Amino acid sequence: MTGAASARVGETLPQCIERYGPVIQKLEARLENSDPEACVFSKAGISIIIEYRDSIAWNVLYRSIDLAAAQVTELLKANMPEGGGWSAAYEVAGVQYRLAADRRHVAAYAPGRRGDIGILEISTREFAKAWREVYGARLETVIREPARNAGAKELIGF
């Protein structure tokens, strides 16, 4: 089942269309460094959202209700980088992270709770680094913005 939904980082849009069929939706890319539109496909009960840079997939996100560990293992195998596999999972806050043997790809699996959407995201390290910078800037804004908007005053004794 998951073998049919095995996009690979490094593929072009025509290769992805050949693998999945037509794009079912286009979304705004999450990163400025990406091509302007991400493409959404659906295959074997899995939604696949692919972000491209210079027309090459540099981030592939798989989403499915109850995305099982066995499916994730198959998807990781299908996305095996040349010359090796994936590291053992390193878990932080319920998310399993892996580094490819080539050290150029990373994977994150968030299984969600039973009945929830599970997510497997496979990226180039360049995408992961760019996303971390964007996410860090957003987090900084979220932390500091409420105090600025509230006209924060110093509370004596706190």
Side-chain angles (χ1 to χ4, degrees), residues 32-155:
E32 284 184 23
N33 300 3
S34 295
D35 295 347
E37 294 180 322
C39 295
V40 181
F41 300 89
S42 182
K43 187 85 172 198
I46 299 174
S47 295
I48 304 108
I49 303 168
I50 304 174
E51 209 157 315
Y52 298 88
R53 182 180 66 178
D54 299 327
S55 301
I56 304 292
W58 74 326
N59 180 261
V60 179
L61 187 139
Y62 303 95
R63 295 181 349 169
S64 180
I65 293 177
D66 292 329
L67 186 63
Q71 291 173 302
V72 170
T73 299
E74 283 190 43
L75 290 167
L76 287 169
K77 284 180 184 176
N79 284 276
M80 188 98 49
E82 279 188 39
W86 295 94
S87 69
Y90 178 75
E91 190 167 328
V92 177
V95 178
Q96 299 173 14
Y97 296 93
R98 290 178 174 83
L99 179 62
D102 68 2
R103 305 184 65 78
R104 296 186 326 207
H105 299 88
V106 295
Y109 168 50
R113 293 191 173 122
R114 188 169 183 81
D116 286 345
I117 293 177
I119 296 172
L120 172 65
E121 188 165 11
I122 300 174
S123 311
T124 64
R125 285 186 72 158
E126 294 82 11
F127 180 93
K129 182 180 177 189
W131 178 246
R132 186 175 63 236
E133 290 172 7
V134 167
Y135 185 77
R138 287 182 187 168
L139 187 58
E140 186 71 22
T141 300
V142 168
I143 291 169
R144 297 186 189 278
E145 198 62 32
R148 279 190 225 130
N149 289 341
K153 298 177 185 169
E154 186 176 337
L155 297 175

